[in-house]
Amino acid sequence: MKKNVLPALLLIALALMPQVKAQQLSTSTAKVAFPVRLGILADSQITTSQGSHDYGMRRKAADRVARVAIRPAAVELLAPLMLERFLIKLEEQKVDVLLYLGDGANSGCKDELDTVFSLLDKSRQRSGIPSYYLIGNHDYLGTGNQTKMDIRQKLCNSSGTANPAETKKQVIERISMHNLQSAKIDKNFAYSENTAVYPQLKTCAGDDTGQFNIHHVGLLSNRGKQQPEVEILLVDTSDYRDVDFRPEILSPDTSCEIFGGWGTKGSMSYKNLPEGSQIGTLAKLASPTAAYRLVASHYRPFDMNAVFPFNASISFVRDALGDLLSKGENIWVSGHTHAPSPIVDRFNVGKTLSNNKGSFDGINVGSTTDYNPHVIIVEAHGATGTRIGTSSLGYTKMGYAQDAVCSKVLHLARKEVALEGICGKRDYAVALGLDQSYRKPCWDDKAAATAGKNIEAFSANASATLNIKPDEVKACLAYVATTNEHPKKKGKAAAAPGSAIARP
């Protein structure tokens, strides 16, 4: 009997051993959840009131193609209010860090940038939440694609009032100052940055020669503070140094730019030259052992590298960054698209003609002013929110929803008789800058100014009638203008004024 028991016990022990081993393995490799909540914003494109309304890429014809070259007057005038309200929403959600993914300004004008950074500074002072900014194409290029300073200056200043267009170097200095101030109060991350200046890429009289020979990168890391190890790479996707074909047409006589496509695509330098490269710098700054790594940029990886012809690599990153992103869990967060809802992507890592090191997920956030304005919160995926691809992170979309008060505001607007007419009409949608009348030949700088006066006067009157703050009235007008910004598709009902933005 005992002889039969011993083999049986041995068989049972052998059968249990793999299970014990598997249980030990899963425990030792169990991943700690992403420990912070990130508020992500982008693309407010706050527009100066001092520039020309129908000039450069702000022409009516350009808007029919680009669709965000010009926006309803109420959107452009109230963009700062919309940004402020989104910042307050994120503060109320008690996020740990705010990331602004570029294009806070429309043409890189001083007053535009002053407004953006003032709102971010006030948010930080009000809430104690650090915010970090990274550059977008509109922050230093006129309407996002104009390099020539004479064009940029007219976009910033057509009235004779001093309002200079700032160079990329000046914008980077603003960003650095803001980010370093945030780092002083950041309880979750340590911040480091690197600014590199390359030899001049071109020296053409009349052009802003400081636009393309400098990049700025930052790194947020909780190394040594808490587990798991998390880092966020703040990258400059306007780093065009290694673009083989620069998207421009030059004059054969002066070598000056006649037409440029800067801003259409993004880029990150990768060549190992004596001055280094952005990807090389990131590879040196980053930890090879981070459990989570977020790459934050203005452009999506899909929107990077030369316009034409394509780089021989076919890749948005080279092997140096590919080596980094092939380890740990990586998420790429980006802006630029003005998408009406967040876009979840899947990107290849280090893919060249003969080399693919894997893939990872990304999330693209839309705008605080256009296309169904919204921001997102990125955190560990849980019971709420939407998973980002196959990752363990998720996002929650926060829309610019208005309550029933908005319907009352619009009811008053439809009956308002004191509005000053524009283009020969006193219709409330035209007079308050709520529709696409800005595309009409009769709409000019004076019309835009008149819409601003009407908004102020109506907001004061509606505020007294409804016993609400004037900003609540303006917030409603801005929301309605965003719903009217683009032609409504046939067969689809428009969002009713006052209805909440759809959530994921």
Side-chain angles (χ1 to χ4, degrees), residues 97-101 130-134 178-180 182-184 186 189-191 220 234:
V97 175
L98 293 171
L99 299 180
Y100 198 105
L101 306 184
S131 57
Y132 297 91
Y133 196 101
L134 44 106
H178 176 82
N179 290 358
L180 288 170
S182 287
K184 292 180 179 179
D186 197 332
F189 291 98
Y191 173 73
L220 294 173
L234 310 176

Side-chain angles (χ1 to χ4, degrees), residues 195-222:
T195 301
V197 179
Y198 310 129
Q200 295 293 96
L201 293 181
K202 62 180 182 178
T203 54
C204 169
D207 279 359
D208 184 356
T209 57
Q211 300 290 8
F212 314 111
N213 66 336
I214 184 171
H215 77 232
H216 179 264
V217 298
L219 175 72
L220 294 173
S221 173
N222 71 344

